[in-house]
């Protein structure tokens, strides 16, 4: 469960050329920590993880993508820059999870599970859940969260953020 959302039942993304073209906004969640990819540190320029994530888009094809945010691109040193760096998305066997490997061979994106939330590059280890990531389409996460809120509330919240009072009988 992540913020009340069951990631095992959510419509997780299977990467192929058509998905990247048709579903362009994603959140990235670490399998081990359940935290979202975001940016922190000085000037929000360093890859980090937290309870609120940064929306990303993917530019590329096959298994090679640049990770783009509204602030720039994630480079292979885990910093935000103005130029794109390629990441290799390697699917975890039998799961909708991915290892995000640098294209320059420096390592695999990993959480350290420490208090500061800054991410690191690690040597590839297929048994380490800190290196596994789930891509969730922004629309899927929004719909799932709205469904859960509506189940527990006397208000119905629509995707357009309009509310109407629901009276119980």
């Amino acid at each position: 469960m992540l913020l009340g959302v069951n990631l095992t039942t959510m419509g997780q993304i299977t990467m192929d050329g058509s998905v990247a073209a048709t579903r362009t906004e994603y959140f990235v969640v670490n399998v081990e920590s359940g935290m979202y990819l975001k940016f922190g540190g000085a000037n929000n320029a360093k890859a980090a993880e937290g309870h609120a994530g940064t929306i990303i888009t993917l530019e590329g094809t096959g298994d090679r993508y640049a990770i783009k945010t509204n602030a720039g691109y994630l480079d292979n040193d885990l910093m935000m820059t103005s130029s794109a760096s390629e990441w290799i998305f390697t699917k975890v066997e039998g799961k909708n999870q991915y290892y995000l490997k640098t294209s320059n061979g420096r390592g695999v994106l990993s959480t350290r599970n420490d208090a500061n939330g800054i991410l690191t590059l690690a040597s590839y280890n297929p048994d380490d859940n800190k290196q596994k990531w789930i891509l969730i389409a922004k629309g899927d996460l929004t719909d799932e969260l709205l469904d859960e809120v509506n189940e527990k509330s006397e208000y119905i919240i629509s995707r357009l953020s309009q509310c109407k009072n629901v009276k119980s009988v």
Side-chain angles (χ1 to χ4, degrees):
M1 296 288 269
L2 173 70
L3 296 177
V5 176
N6 185 343
L7 292 177
T8 59
T9 60
M10 180 175 287
Q12 294 144 355
I13 303 306
T14 301
M15 297 272 292
D16 65 26
S18 62
V19 171
T22 60
R23 305 187 85 177
T24 58
E25 293 184 314
Y26 301 94
F27 288 99
V28 182
V29 180
N30 184 268
V31 170
E32 173 78 15
S33 68
M35 297 285 200
Y36 291 88
L37 173 66
K38 68 173 200 141
F39 295 90
N43 301 317
N44 285 325
K46 182 82 173 157
E49 65 175 355
H51 294 287
T54 299
I55 295 172
I56 68 158
T57 57
L58 301 174
E59 295 178 354
T61 59
D63 65 350
R64 294 177 175 263
Y65 294 89
I67 299 172
K68 184 178 181 184
T69 73
N70 62 353
Y73 294 91
L74 177 62
D75 73 10
N76 286 173
D77 293 318
L78 305 182
M79 299 296 291
M80 292 302 300
T81 66
S82 59
S83 58
S85 291
E86 230 177 28
W87 289 81
I88 302 166
F89 285 66
T90 304
K91 191 168 176 24
V92 174
E93 190 173 331
K95 300 186 180 203
N96 282 331
Q97 301 170 356
Y98 298 88
Y99 302 102
L100 292 112
K101 300 176 180 179
T102 60
S103 60
N104 64 7
R106 292 204 56 226
V108 179
L109 185 63
S110 178
T111 180
R112 294 189 282 200
N113 282 347
D114 62 11
N116 70 14
I118 300 297
L119 299 177
T120 189
L121 294 173
S123 296
Y124 171 72
N125 177 351
D127 298 321
D128 187 356
N129 283 336
K130 293 183 285 189
Q131 297 180 11
K132 298 173 185 174
W133 300 86
I134 298 170
L135 277 74
I136 303 172
K138 177 184 167 188
D140 289 346
L141 182 60
T142 303
D143 290 344
E144 187 83 13
L145 288 172
L146 287 175
D147 288 346
E148 183 167 327
V149 168
N150 288 335
E151 285 176 17
K152 296 178 180 177
S153 175
E154 64 184 82
Y155 296 96
I156 302 297
I157 302 173
S158 75
R159 197 142 201 284
L160 297 175
S161 298
Q162 298 169 336
C163 302
K164 89 177 166 185
N165 198 341
V166 176
K167 306 269 185 199
S168 54
V169 192

